[in-house]
Amino acid sequence: MDIDKLFYKHLMKNLFSDPCEVKFWDDELIKYGVGYPQFRINFNKPIPKLKMISDPHMAFGEGYMLKKFDVVGSVQKVIESIYKNQDSFLHQKNGYTKLFKVFTSNIKENIENIQFHYDIGNDFFRLWLDETLTYSCAYFMSPEDSLLQAQRNKVTHILRKLNLTPGQTLLDIGCGWGELILTAAKIYRTKALGITLSSEQYTKTLNRVENEGLQDLVEVQLIDYKELEGRTFDRVVSVGMIEHVGKEHLNDYFSTVKSLLNEDGVSLLHCITAYKESPTNSWIKKYIFPGGYIPTIQELVALMAANSFYLIDVESLREHYTKTLEHWIQNFENSLPLIMKIKDETFIRMWRLYLNSSAASFHSGNLDLHQFLFTKGVNNTLPLTRKNIYF
């Protein structure tokens, strides 16, 4: 009797919300659910049962990375089917899930964690991001927008929300490859400072500043935001950075932003959000974003209030991130011949799973993306409506 097979037959029976097929390592094919199969799981070898029971996210993630199973069909669809099945053992709060543990991130750990993800090579990111190397949620004014157009839309959307005027100072915490600060300088003649912990991003952004002749308006530093002293700004923006600071340092972020803002200053926070506190996926934590934590909306709004910020505007861009990720997935798959020259198969499968599971998380509502606009003190000069954003 194949105990492993019996275990997985039982497991698969209640795992997906869609009809599917499972082909086991002995070539037996079993259909689960009613209707036409939406995908097929091909097991090449069993994943150890103890690992599956104690940490299913790690077991599935490493199982796919190491080719213990393959997916015929959409990887995103498979992940969404798991998320949507609330009766699955993955959603039950029992011995199947690990206890939630909060990890503290200090500056040294932040640097190491950021470099782990972002310093794997600009050549890699260049193959599947848009021409601006923007690695965050885009903004689609139309479903037909290209990824490049949608990323430029996003920058425009943020800068309009900040209500910039010439000569103002702008700080971008976690500036990526510099698209936002460069655009702010060119369009609004803003004096912008971008800071990052990624040496790859720092070097590339510095080159872009010099190539575009914007040295008088744009500055870039390789520094942690908590180490920036003796300067204040009219505007502070952060796009996709706060997810890296850790739960215990969320208040540090807001108190630091408060100290960096001039009175009446405006800040925009663009970040992935959750609706309820939950443990960070162990596979994501180990292989993709060590030290990462997705804050809840409640946490963020409470900390804004605790730091005496005035919350002006909140906007969800959840489906914009789904579309962004789907563009990245398509670009990633189209670039496989080139990616295979610089990365091995395990790395490729790891990133394919990461991109597809992220798309599934946003599309299913497991994660959200919000932009929060808030001010230091009462600012009565901001526009009364959103007309300035959408003109």
mmCIF file of all heavy atoms in Angstrom, residues 41-77:
data_model
loop_
_atom_site.group_PDB
_atom_site.id
_atom_site.type_symbol
_atom_site.label_atom_id
_atom_site.label_comp_id
_atom_site.label_asym_id
_atom_site.label_seq_id
_atom_site.Cartn_x
_atom_site.Cartn_y
_atom_site.Cartn_z
ATOM 1 N N ILE A 41 -2.282 18.817 -12.071
ATOM 2 C CA ILE A 41 -1.070 18.720 -11.263
ATOM 3 C C ILE A 41 -0.409 17.384 -11.582
ATOM 4 O O ILE A 41 -1.028 16.324 -11.420
ATOM 5 C CB ILE A 41 -1.377 18.799 -9.752
ATOM 6 C CG1 ILE A 41 -2.195 20.048 -9.421
ATOM 7 C CG2 ILE A 41 -0.092 18.742 -8.935
ATOM 8 C CD1 ILE A 41 -1.486 21.339 -9.646
ATOM 9 N N ASN A 42 0.831 17.423 -12.024
ATOM 10 C CA ASN A 42 1.593 16.201 -12.303
ATOM 11 C C ASN A 42 2.652 16.007 -11.229
ATOM 12 O O ASN A 42 3.641 16.753 -11.172
ATOM 13 C CB ASN A 42 2.278 16.296 -13.668
ATOM 14 C CG ASN A 42 1.312 16.168 -14.829
ATOM 15 O OD1 ASN A 42 0.185 15.718 -14.652
ATOM 16 N ND2 ASN A 42 1.741 16.573 -16.009
ATOM 17 N N PHE A 43 2.440 15.033 -10.339
ATOM 18 C CA PHE A 43 3.438 14.730 -9.325
ATOM 19 C C PHE A 43 4.543 13.860 -9.938
ATOM 20 O O PHE A 43 4.275 12.798 -10.489
ATOM 21 C CB PHE A 43 2.805 13.979 -8.150
ATOM 22 C CG PHE A 43 2.148 14.876 -7.139
ATOM 23 C CD1 PHE A 43 0.770 15.011 -7.107
ATOM 24 C CD2 PHE A 43 2.906 15.584 -6.217
ATOM 25 C CE1 PHE A 43 0.153 15.840 -6.184
ATOM 26 C CE2 PHE A 43 2.299 16.420 -5.293
ATOM 27 C CZ PHE A 43 0.924 16.542 -5.271
ATOM 28 N N ASN A 44 5.777 14.333 -9.841
ATOM 29 C CA ASN A 44 6.913 13.539 -10.293
ATOM 30 C C ASN A 44 7.457 12.655 -9.178
ATOM 31 O O ASN A 44 8.023 11.595 -9.430
ATOM 32 C CB ASN A 44 8.025 14.467 -10.815
ATOM 33 C CG ASN A 44 7.539 15.328 -11.968
ATOM 34 O OD1 ASN A 44 6.913 14.826 -12.895
ATOM 35 N ND2 ASN A 44 7.813 16.622 -11.902
ATOM 36 N N LYS A 45 7.272 13.110 -7.955
ATOM 37 C CA LYS A 45 7.654 12.348 -6.760
ATOM 38 C C LYS A 45 6.889 12.922 -5.581
ATOM 39 O O LYS A 45 6.472 14.095 -5.606
ATOM 40 C CB LYS A 45 9.160 12.409 -6.527
ATOM 41 C CG LYS A 45 9.702 13.810 -6.296
ATOM 42 C CD LYS A 45 11.207 13.804 -6.038
ATOM 43 C CE LYS A 45 11.977 13.406 -7.291
ATOM 44 N NZ LYS A 45 13.445 13.534 -7.080
ATOM 45 N N PRO A 46 6.669 12.150 -4.535
ATOM 46 C CA PRO A 46 5.921 12.665 -3.381
ATOM 47 C C PRO A 46 6.730 13.683 -2.585
ATOM 48 O O PRO A 46 7.949 13.569 -2.464
ATOM 49 C CB PRO A 46 5.622 11.417 -2.548
ATOM 50 C CG PRO A 46 6.683 10.428 -2.944
ATOM 51 C CD PRO A 46 6.996 10.707 -4.386
ATOM 52 N N ILE A 47 6.022 14.691 -2.051
ATOM 53 C CA ILE A 47 6.624 15.625 -1.101
ATOM 54 C C ILE A 47 6.452 15.003 0.286
ATOM 55 O O ILE A 47 5.381 14.483 0.600
ATOM 56 C CB ILE A 47 5.908 16.990 -1.169
ATOM 57 C CG1 ILE A 47 6.020 17.567 -2.584
ATOM 58 C CG2 ILE A 47 6.481 17.964 -0.144
ATOM 59 C CD1 ILE A 47 5.150 18.782 -2.819
ATOM 60 N N PRO A 48 7.482 14.994 1.129
ATOM 61 C CA PRO A 48 7.360 14.369 2.453
ATOM 62 C C PRO A 48 6.119 14.837 3.208
ATOM 63 O O PRO A 48 5.848 16.041 3.294
ATOM 64 C CB PRO A 48 8.648 14.804 3.159
ATOM 65 C CG PRO A 48 9.635 14.999 2.048
ATOM 66 C CD PRO A 48 8.832 15.543 0.907
ATOM 67 N N LYS A 49 5.374 13.882 3.746
ATOM 68 C CA LYS A 49 4.093 14.193 4.401
ATOM 69 C C LYS A 49 4.279 15.119 5.596
ATOM 70 O O LYS A 49 3.491 16.034 5.803
ATOM 71 C CB LYS A 49 3.417 12.888 4.856
ATOM 72 C CG LYS A 49 3.044 11.947 3.730
ATOM 73 C CD LYS A 49 2.266 10.752 4.233
ATOM 74 C CE LYS A 49 3.106 9.859 5.139
ATOM 75 N NZ LYS A 49 4.278 9.277 4.422
ATOM 76 N N LEU A 50 5.319 14.895 6.389
ATOM 77 C CA LEU A 50 5.541 15.711 7.581
ATOM 78 C C LEU A 50 5.771 17.171 7.206
ATOM 79 O O LEU A 50 5.278 18.086 7.883
ATOM 80 C CB LEU A 50 6.740 15.178 8.372
ATOM 81 C CG LEU A 50 7.066 15.913 9.675
ATOM 82 C CD1 LEU A 50 5.867 15.865 10.620
ATOM 83 C CD2 LEU A 50 8.298 15.301 10.343
ATOM 84 N N LYS A 51 6.490 17.380 6.116
ATOM 85 C CA LYS A 51 6.741 18.751 5.671
ATOM 86 C C LYS A 51 5.449 19.408 5.207
ATOM 87 O O LYS A 51 5.193 20.584 5.474
ATOM 88 C CB LYS A 51 7.766 18.737 4.539
ATOM 89 C CG LYS A 51 8.338 20.102 4.204
ATOM 90 C CD LYS A 51 9.577 19.975 3.348
ATOM 91 C CE LYS A 51 10.280 21.318 3.223
ATOM 92 N NZ LYS A 51 11.547 21.217 2.488
ATOM 93 N N MET A 52 4.613 18.640 4.517
ATOM 94 C CA MET A 52 3.335 19.177 4.044
ATOM 95 C C MET A 52 2.416 19.538 5.208
ATOM 96 O O MET A 52 1.724 20.553 5.187
ATOM 97 C CB MET A 52 2.652 18.158 3.126
ATOM 98 C CG MET A 52 1.325 18.631 2.562
ATOM 99 S SD MET A 52 1.466 20.103 1.539
ATOM 100 C CE MET A 52 2.239 19.403 0.074
ATOM 101 N N ILE A 53 2.425 18.730 6.237
ATOM 102 C CA ILE A 53 1.554 18.969 7.390
ATOM 103 C C ILE A 53 2.062 20.145 8.215
ATOM 104 O O ILE A 53 1.291 21.001 8.653
ATOM 105 C CB ILE A 53 1.462 17.696 8.263
ATOM 106 C CG1 ILE A 53 0.695 16.607 7.501
ATOM 107 C CG2 ILE A 53 0.775 18.011 9.589
ATOM 108 C CD1 ILE A 53 0.727 15.267 8.200
ATOM 109 N N SER A 54 3.383 20.203 8.447
ATOM 110 C CA SER A 54 3.930 21.230 9.336
ATOM 111 C C SER A 54 4.044 22.599 8.682
ATOM 112 O O SER A 54 3.891 23.627 9.341
ATOM 113 C CB SER A 54 5.309 20.799 9.849
ATOM 114 O OG SER A 54 6.214 20.659 8.759
ATOM 115 N N ASP A 55 4.317 22.636 7.370
ATOM 116 C CA ASP A 55 4.484 23.920 6.683
ATOM 117 C C ASP A 55 4.112 23.765 5.217
ATOM 118 O O ASP A 55 4.973 23.652 4.344
ATOM 119 C CB ASP A 55 5.926 24.408 6.818
ATOM 120 C CG ASP A 55 6.091 25.874 6.410
ATOM 121 O OD1 ASP A 55 5.156 26.412 5.775
ATOM 122 O OD2 ASP A 55 7.125 26.476 6.735
ATOM 123 N N PRO A 56 2.814 23.773 4.893
ATOM 124 C CA PRO A 56 2.375 23.517 3.517
ATOM 125 C C PRO A 56 2.858 24.548 2.514
ATOM 126 O O PRO A 56 3.126 24.209 1.363
ATOM 127 C CB PRO A 56 0.848 23.506 3.621
ATOM 128 C CG PRO A 56 0.524 24.218 4.888
ATOM 129 C CD PRO A 56 1.661 23.940 5.808
ATOM 130 N N HIS A 57 2.967 25.822 2.914
ATOM 131 C CA HIS A 57 3.446 26.841 1.979
ATOM 132 C C HIS A 57 4.875 26.537 1.530
ATOM 133 O O HIS A 57 5.200 26.612 0.340
ATOM 134 C CB HIS A 57 3.389 28.228 2.620
ATOM 135 C CG HIS A 57 1.997 28.700 2.904
ATOM 136 N ND1 HIS A 57 1.481 28.749 4.176
ATOM 137 C CD2 HIS A 57 1.007 29.123 2.077
ATOM 138 C CE1 HIS A 57 0.239 29.194 4.123
ATOM 139 N NE2 HIS A 57 -0.078 29.424 2.874
ATOM 140 N N MET A 58 5.739 26.184 2.482
ATOM 141 C CA MET A 58 7.113 25.847 2.142
ATOM 142 C C MET A 58 7.163 24.562 1.323
ATOM 143 O O MET A 58 7.933 24.454 0.354
ATOM 144 C CB MET A 58 7.952 25.678 3.418
ATOM 145 C CG MET A 58 9.435 25.442 3.145
ATOM 146 S SD MET A 58 10.239 26.898 2.440
ATOM 147 C CE MET A 58 10.318 27.954 3.898
ATOM 148 N N ALA A 59 6.337 23.588 1.698
ATOM 149 C CA ALA A 59 6.328 22.310 0.992
ATOM 150 C C ALA A 59 5.922 22.484 -0.466
ATOM 151 O O ALA A 59 6.562 21.950 -1.384
ATOM 152 C CB ALA A 59 5.385 21.327 1.693
ATOM 153 N N PHE A 60 4.850 23.241 -0.709
ATOM 154 C CA PHE A 60 4.402 23.485 -2.084
ATOM 155 C C PHE A 60 5.424 24.307 -2.854
ATOM 156 O O PHE A 60 5.738 24.024 -4.018
ATOM 157 C CB PHE A 60 3.049 24.210 -2.095
ATOM 158 C CG PHE A 60 1.871 23.287 -2.062
ATOM 159 C CD1 PHE A 60 1.011 23.265 -0.979
ATOM 160 C CD2 PHE A 60 1.609 22.429 -3.122
ATOM 161 C CE1 PHE A 60 -0.076 22.414 -0.938
ATOM 162 C CE2 PHE A 60 0.522 21.572 -3.099
ATOM 163 C CZ PHE A 60 -0.326 21.564 -2.005
ATOM 164 N N GLY A 61 5.934 25.369 -2.204
ATOM 165 C CA GLY A 61 6.886 26.246 -2.882
ATOM 166 C C GLY A 61 8.153 25.520 -3.289
ATOM 167 O O GLY A 61 8.586 25.585 -4.447
ATOM 168 N N GLU A 62 8.746 24.818 -2.346
ATOM 169 C CA GLU A 62 9.977 24.090 -2.662
ATOM 170 C C GLU A 62 9.689 22.905 -3.580
ATOM 171 O O GLU A 62 10.520 22.563 -4.434
ATOM 172 C CB GLU A 62 10.649 23.616 -1.373
ATOM 173 C CG GLU A 62 11.241 24.753 -0.565
ATOM 174 C CD GLU A 62 12.035 24.268 0.643
ATOM 175 O OE1 GLU A 62 11.778 23.140 1.125
ATOM 176 O OE2 GLU A 62 12.896 25.029 1.111
ATOM 177 N N GLY A 63 8.508 22.305 -3.414
ATOM 178 C CA GLY A 63 8.142 21.188 -4.291
ATOM 179 C C GLY A 63 8.089 21.611 -5.749
ATOM 180 O O GLY A 63 8.570 20.903 -6.640
ATOM 181 N N TYR A 64 7.540 22.812 -5.997
ATOM 182 C CA TYR A 64 7.488 23.310 -7.376
ATOM 183 C C TYR A 64 8.875 23.725 -7.855
ATOM 184 O O TYR A 64 9.276 23.420 -8.977
ATOM 185 C CB TYR A 64 6.525 24.494 -7.479
ATOM 186 C CG TYR A 64 6.389 25.006 -8.896
ATOM 187 C CD1 TYR A 64 5.590 24.347 -9.817
ATOM 188 C CD2 TYR A 64 7.097 26.124 -9.323
ATOM 189 C CE1 TYR A 64 5.477 24.788 -11.130
ATOM 190 C CE2 TYR A 64 6.990 26.578 -10.635
ATOM 191 C CZ TYR A 64 6.185 25.903 -11.528
ATOM 192 O OH TYR A 64 6.099 26.340 -12.829
ATOM 193 N N MET A 65 9.617 24.421 -7.009
ATOM 194 C CA MET A 65 10.968 24.859 -7.371
ATOM 195 C C MET A 65 11.857 23.687 -7.785
ATOM 196 O O MET A 65 12.597 23.755 -8.770
ATOM 197 C CB MET A 65 11.631 25.574 -6.184
ATOM 198 C CG MET A 65 11.188 26.993 -5.942
ATOM 199 S SD MET A 65 11.867 27.630 -4.379
ATOM 200 C CE MET A 65 13.630 27.403 -4.638
ATOM 201 N N LEU A 66 11.766 22.607 -7.006
ATOM 202 C CA LEU A 66 12.649 21.449 -7.210
ATOM 203 C C LEU A 66 12.041 20.410 -8.145
ATOM 204 O O LEU A 66 12.501 19.287 -8.224
ATOM 205 C CB LEU A 66 12.987 20.827 -5.851
ATOM 206 C CG LEU A 66 13.677 21.780 -4.866
ATOM 207 C CD1 LEU A 66 13.870 21.119 -3.509
ATOM 208 C CD2 LEU A 66 15.018 22.246 -5.427
ATOM 209 N N LYS A 67 10.951 20.771 -8.795
ATOM 210 C CA LYS A 67 10.309 19.962 -9.827
ATOM 211 C C LYS A 67 9.760 18.645 -9.288
ATOM 212 O O LYS A 67 9.718 17.638 -9.990
ATOM 213 C CB LYS A 67 11.276 19.689 -10.985
ATOM 214 C CG LYS A 67 10.595 19.665 -12.339
ATOM 215 C CD LYS A 67 11.598 19.610 -13.483
ATOM 216 C CE LYS A 67 10.868 19.605 -14.815
ATOM 217 N NZ LYS A 67 11.799 19.583 -15.956
ATOM 218 N N LYS A 68 9.307 18.656 -8.039
ATOM 219 C CA LYS A 68 8.635 17.477 -7.511
ATOM 220 C C LYS A 68 7.224 17.373 -8.075
ATOM 221 O O LYS A 68 6.629 16.306 -8.049
ATOM 222 C CB LYS A 68 8.604 17.517 -5.982
ATOM 223 C CG LYS A 68 10.001 17.355 -5.367
ATOM 224 C CD LYS A 68 9.951 17.278 -3.851
ATOM 225 C CE LYS A 68 11.352 17.057 -3.293
ATOM 226 N NZ LYS A 68 11.344 16.984 -1.807
ATOM 227 N N PHE A 69 6.708 18.515 -8.569
ATOM 228 C CA PHE A 69 5.452 18.472 -9.323
ATOM 229 C C PHE A 69 5.466 19.572 -10.375
ATOM 230 O O PHE A 69 6.200 20.562 -10.264
ATOM 231 C CB PHE A 69 4.224 18.605 -8.407
ATOM 232 C CG PHE A 69 4.030 19.960 -7.793
ATOM 233 C CD1 PHE A 69 3.284 20.940 -8.439
ATOM 234 C CD2 PHE A 69 4.580 20.277 -6.556
ATOM 235 C CE1 PHE A 69 3.094 22.181 -7.877
ATOM 236 C CE2 PHE A 69 4.394 21.516 -5.985
ATOM 237 C CZ PHE A 69 3.651 22.478 -6.637
ATOM 238 N N ASP A 70 4.679 19.394 -11.409
ATOM 239 C CA ASP A 70 4.526 20.370 -12.477
ATOM 240 C C ASP A 70 3.058 20.757 -12.604
ATOM 241 O O ASP A 70 2.172 20.032 -12.131
ATOM 242 C CB ASP A 70 5.022 19.805 -13.818
ATOM 243 C CG ASP A 70 6.534 19.725 -13.881
ATOM 244 O OD1 ASP A 70 7.193 20.766 -13.728
ATOM 245 O OD2 ASP A 70 7.068 18.608 -14.086
ATOM 246 N N VAL A 71 2.810 21.868 -13.245
ATOM 247 C CA VAL A 71 1.458 22.346 -13.490
ATOM 248 C C VAL A 71 1.210 22.397 -14.988
ATOM 249 O O VAL A 71 2.000 22.975 -15.738
ATOM 250 C CB VAL A 71 1.233 23.743 -12.885
ATOM 251 C CG1 VAL A 71 -0.134 24.301 -13.295
ATOM 252 C CG2 VAL A 71 1.342 23.698 -11.363
ATOM 253 N N VAL A 72 0.128 21.755 -15.417
ATOM 254 C CA VAL A 72 -0.312 21.874 -16.804
ATOM 255 C C VAL A 72 -1.478 22.847 -16.805
ATOM 256 O O VAL A 72 -2.557 22.550 -16.295
ATOM 257 C CB VAL A 72 -0.749 20.509 -17.381
ATOM 258 C CG1 VAL A 72 -1.229 20.679 -18.815
ATOM 259 C CG2 VAL A 72 0.395 19.503 -17.310
ATOM 260 N N GLY A 73 -1.257 24.032 -17.364
ATOM 261 C CA GLY A 73 -2.242 25.103 -17.297
ATOM 262 C C GLY A 73 -1.646 26.303 -16.597
ATOM 263 O O GLY A 73 -0.421 26.450 -16.497
ATOM 264 N N SER A 74 -2.480 27.186 -16.079
ATOM 265 C CA SER A 74 -2.034 28.431 -15.453
ATOM 266 C C SER A 74 -1.651 28.217 -13.988
ATOM 267 O O SER A 74 -2.464 27.753 -13.187
ATOM 268 C CB SER A 74 -3.145 29.480 -15.544
ATOM 269 O OG SER A 74 -2.875 30.579 -14.715
ATOM 270 N N VAL A 75 -0.412 28.564 -13.654
ATOM 271 C CA VAL A 75 0.022 28.497 -12.254
ATOM 272 C C VAL A 75 -0.805 29.471 -11.419
ATOM 273 O O VAL A 75 -1.192 29.165 -10.284
ATOM 274 C CB VAL A 75 1.523 28.821 -12.139
ATOM 275 C CG1 VAL A 75 1.960 28.850 -10.678
ATOM 276 C CG2 VAL A 75 2.352 27.797 -12.917
ATOM 277 N N GLN A 76 -1.088 30.648 -11.970
ATOM 278 C CA GLN A 76 -1.917 31.624 -11.261
ATOM 279 C C GLN A 76 -3.290 31.036 -10.937
ATOM 280 O O GLN A 76 -3.807 31.204 -9.827
ATOM 281 C CB GLN A 76 -2.084 32.888 -12.105
ATOM 282 C CG GLN A 76 -2.960 33.952 -11.445
ATOM 283 C CD GLN A 76 -3.154 35.178 -12.321
ATOM 284 O OE1 GLN A 76 -2.389 35.418 -13.247
ATOM 285 N NE2 GLN A 76 -4.187 35.963 -12.043
ATOM 286 N N LYS A 77 -3.884 30.329 -11.890
ATOM 287 C CA LYS A 77 -5.204 29.721 -11.687
ATOM 288 C C LYS A 77 -5.168 28.690 -10.561
ATOM 289 O O LYS A 77 -6.104 28.601 -9.746
ATOM 290 C CB LYS A 77 -5.664 29.060 -12.993
ATOM 291 C CG LYS A 77 -7.017 28.376 -12.909
ATOM 292 C CD LYS A 77 -8.156 29.358 -12.810
ATOM 293 C CE LYS A 77 -9.505 28.666 -12.896
ATOM 294 N NZ LYS A 77 -10.628 29.605 -12.713
#
